[in-house]
Amino acid sequence: MLVPVRCFTCGNLISDKFDEYQEKSQQSVGGSPDKILDELGIERYCCRRMLLTTVETIQQIIPFYEAMHRRKTEIQTEME
Ligand SMILES: [Zn+2]
């Protein structure tokens, strides 16, 4: 799923901070994410959960769409 642009609860803009959050969390593997969220200035827990719980699944889904497209073109060539 793509990153939500705004917090579902309060409407605060969060998508602009997601890239920075991911970079910092990958750099400090094993570190606690609360310090990163404090550095980014995200104080409300509704906004914090948005960044903590977002999982980007687009890279895992793309191969399935590519396979579907390949199969569709195979069927179309068989029909001709
Ligand atoms: Zn919020």
Side-chain angles (χ1 to χ4, degrees):
M1 195 173 124
L2 296 173
V3 185
V5 176
R6 292 184 177 271
C7 174
F8 292 145
T9 306
C10 70
N12 188 25
L13 190 65
I14 53 162
S15 64
D16 61 331
K17 295 161 187 122
F18 186 73
D19 286 339
E20 194 177 344
Y21 170 74
Q22 275 207 320
E23 282 176 25
K24 287 185 177 182
S25 63
Q26 285 172 356
Q27 286 170 0
S28 64
V29 176
S32 56
D34 61 330
K35 291 171 187 164
I36 299 167
L37 291 168
D38 288 338
E39 285 174 21
L40 292 172
I42 300 168
E43 294 177 2
R44 278 175 269 188
Y45 62 86
C46 58
C47 303
R48 291 168 82 95
R49 64 99 203 259
M50 296 295 288
L51 292 183
L52 285 171
T53 58
T54 297
V55 179
E56 281 197 312
T57 55
I58 190 75
Q59 295 301 325
Q60 295 154 351
I61 292 171
I62 284 173
F64 292 102
Y65 278 94
E66 288 171 347
M68 276 173 40
H69 179 71
R70 256 183 273 126
R71 184 66 188 136
K72 196 173 177 182
T73 52
E74 282 174 13
I75 290 171
Q76 282 180 343
T77 54
E78 286 172 13
M79 297 285 276
E80 291 171 356

